[in-house]
Amino acid sequence: MLALRLTRGAKPAVQLRRLLVALAAAGTGFLLLCTLGYAIGHPDDPAGSLLRLAWCLTPLAATVYFAMAVARTDPGTRPRPGLAAIGLGPARLMAVSAATTALSCALGSMLALLFFLHLRGDLTGMPFDGAAAEFLAADASLPLPAALTLLGLVPAIASVAVALANRPKDIRTATNRRSARSYGRFGAYGRTGTRETFGAYGRFGSQLRRRGAADDQPAPTDDPAPAETPAPEDQPHDPAPHTVPPSPREAPKDLPWGIAVLAAGLAVEAYAAEASTTPLTFPGGPTPVLLGWLLTAAGLTLAGPGLTHLCGRLLQAVRPGALRLLAGRVLMEEATRIGRPLGVVCAVASATYAMAELHRPDTDAFGPLTTLGTLLVTGCTVATLLTAAVEAKHARADTTAALLRLGAPATMLRSAAALRAGAVLALFGPLTLVVAELAAMPLAR
């Protein structure tokens, strides 16, 4: 009931994102049901049915990824002060978020089932003059348990993924836990700032030098003279201050692994093309191509945060001004948040480009279901990137407000956002084209 109340009382933008999740779940559920219809109509081709089911994993993963991004930006399930006093602690909010995601995906699955039954003619007669009757096995009875099992995959996987992503985490760091268990000299808790080696305490003259250094320190007074500070009206005012977010502590460390996995995916695709006898014909079906594209997508996803961090560093190179410094620091700070969606979009765009290059008008390899799956994966990845951008904007709202209070013009903030977008496009656009060309080159020989 609480999840229903939070869902009903959300803002229109939040409701729109939930509706998009439901539509993505409907498309994925319809593809799964079409796979079931093919298996019913072709009982002598289990390998083809399994291959179609394997191709459905990509839209399923894109839908779950989009549902997780929407759940992160849901203000109704965001932890806020005072909620634990009324029983809405982190665990309860996690459960509410998972339940809200399950409701949205279940709504989409029911829409997919109704549309599938309508195409089969089980509700109001056969539409489209029975064009989809043979493909959906309209002459055979639909096994309801199998259909419900396939439709329950999206809500179950999405809710579990959201629960794992939003699970309560221990706020104590590893340093605090170590210091809480550590003991000092003679059982005292904690340790001093500098550790002493064996025998340093009793070494001749060490304590005398330490006490002499302590005596040289000025003694604290009860009423120290306050430092003279200029009046607020006497302080200089900078109409465009150079206040920027602090530089991140360290860069993402997945860039080498991402490059290695990307190279492995391209190698698998090249091996599949070399082992085939004719173009678009592969040993064992298109399974090696699917494996190669999955490895390529995983490599680009892993390398996305590191490449985004590199964009931020390049923006600040060679004597940067306030604008480039602000854009670079923000891009480095948001590298992890928007880097992975950028990598996924790059992978989907390169795969779509490669498929378009390999498409031949005289073949029926790209039918309506393939088009639906491509549109579904592309839409989910782009929507995930936009959702991550909205999340990043909300995360730096305090920094933006502080810059505006200090006198930074709003045009400078918009220019910094445009500069970040241009830098990301300048790096990821050519990278997408290069990966797409390398993926399509061995397959189109």
Side-chain angles (χ1 to χ4, degrees):
M1 293 300 296
L2 181 59
L4 288 175
R5 291 179 180 178
L6 292 176
T7 302
R8 184 183 58 183
K11 295 181 180 180
V14 180
Q15 298 286 12
L16 178 61
R17 290 196 291 266
R18 292 171 179 170
L19 180 61
L20 291 178
V21 171
L23 291 178
T28 306
F30 180 75
L31 290 177
L32 292 173
L33 289 177
C34 290
T35 302
L36 177 61
Y38 181 85
I40 296 174
H42 302 79
D44 55 344
D45 188 17
S49 302
L50 288 177
L51 183 60
R52 289 172 179 268
L53 186 61
W55 278 104
C56 290
L57 294 180
T58 303
L60 177 61
T63 303
V64 172
Y65 193 48
F66 178 46
M68 292 174 61
V70 171
R72 284 197 309 267
T73 58
D74 194 346
T77 58
R78 187 177 304 166
R80 291 184 295 272
L83 290 181
I86 59 175
L88 291 178
R92 185 73 180 276
L93 289 177
M94 176 198 69
V96 170
S97 180
T100 304
T101 304
L103 287 175
S104 301
C105 295
L107 175 61
S109 297
M110 294 305 298
L111 291 176
L113 180 60
L114 291 177
F115 187 67
F116 182 77
L117 294 178
H118 175 67
L119 290 181
R120 280 173 50 91
D122 296 337
L123 298 179
T124 58
M126 186 67 63
F128 306 114
D129 297 331
E134 182 180 358
F135 180 76
L136 301 179
D139 53 346
S141 61
L142 181 67
L144 189 59
L148 294 180
T149 300
L150 290 177
L151 289 176
L153 288 179
V154 180
I157 297 177
S159 59
V160 170
V162 169
L164 291 178
N166 298 333
R167 67 186 184 276
K169 300 178 178 63
D170 192 2
I171 61 175
R172 296 180 303 171
T173 60
T175 305
N176 294 335
R177 287 195 295 267
R178 287 196 303 266
S179 61
R181 292 192 300 265
S182 61
Y183 297 91
R185 188 179 294 112
F186 300 112
Y189 287 98
R191 287 178 179 173
T192 58
T194 58
R195 297 185 61 182
E196 296 178 350
T197 58
F198 179 76
Y201 185 83
R203 190 174 296 125
F204 179 75
S206 61
Q207 299 301 318
L208 296 178
R209 288 192 296 268
R210 184 176 302 176
R211 291 175 184 174
D215 294 338
D216 293 339
Q217 302 257 350
T221 58
D222 295 336
D223 49 352
E228 295 183 0
T229 57
E233 59 271 8
D234 297 332
Q235 294 180 355
H237 176 68
D238 188 3
H242 295 180
T243 303
V244 295
S247 179
R249 295 182 180 179
E250 59 181 8
K253 301 179 180 179
D254 294 336
L255 183 57
W257 291 102
I259 295 175
V261 175
L262 175 61
L266 294 175
V268 169
E269 294 179 12
Y271 170 76
E274 290 294 334
S276 62
T277 56
T278 58
L280 293 177
T281 303
F282 308 99
T287 304
V289 182
L290 176 61
L291 179 59
W293 281 354
L294 289 179
L295 288 176
T296 303
L300 289 173
T301 305
L302 288 175
L307 294 176
T308 307
H309 194 274
L310 180 61
C311 285
R313 283 195 176 276
L314 293 178
L315 278 177
Q316 303 174 73
V318 192
R319 301 179 62 182
L323 182 61
R324 284 199 294 139
L325 194 61
L326 176 62
R329 289 287 178 86
V330 171
L331 201 57
M332 291 169 63
E333 189 70 24
E334 297 172 356
T336 305
R337 181 178 288 112
I338 67 174
R340 297 197 186 280
L342 273 173
V344 174
V345 170
C346 182
V348 172
S350 61
T352 304
Y353 180 82
M355 290 175 63
E357 288 292 327
L358 296 175
H359 176 62
R360 294 181 176 181
D362 55 346
T363 60
D364 56 349
F366 301 97
L369 294 182
T370 305
T371 305
L372 174 61
T374 303
L375 293 177
L376 181 62
V377 173
T378 305
C380 286
T381 52
V382 173
T384 303
L385 179 59
L386 295 178
T387 305
V390 172
E391 182 185 6
K393 181 181 179 181
H394 292 165
R396 65 174 184 272
D398 295 338
T399 302
T400 304
L403 289 173
L404 292 176
R405 285 196 306 268
L406 289 174
T411 55
M412 188 180 80
L413 299 179
R414 290 193 290 267
S415 300
L419 187 58
R420 292 195 302 269
V424 167
L425 281 177
L427 180 62
F428 281 89
L431 177 64
T432 302
L433 293 178
V434 169
V435 172
E437 288 291 342
L438 290 178
M441 186 181 302
L443 302 181
R445 62 178 179 83

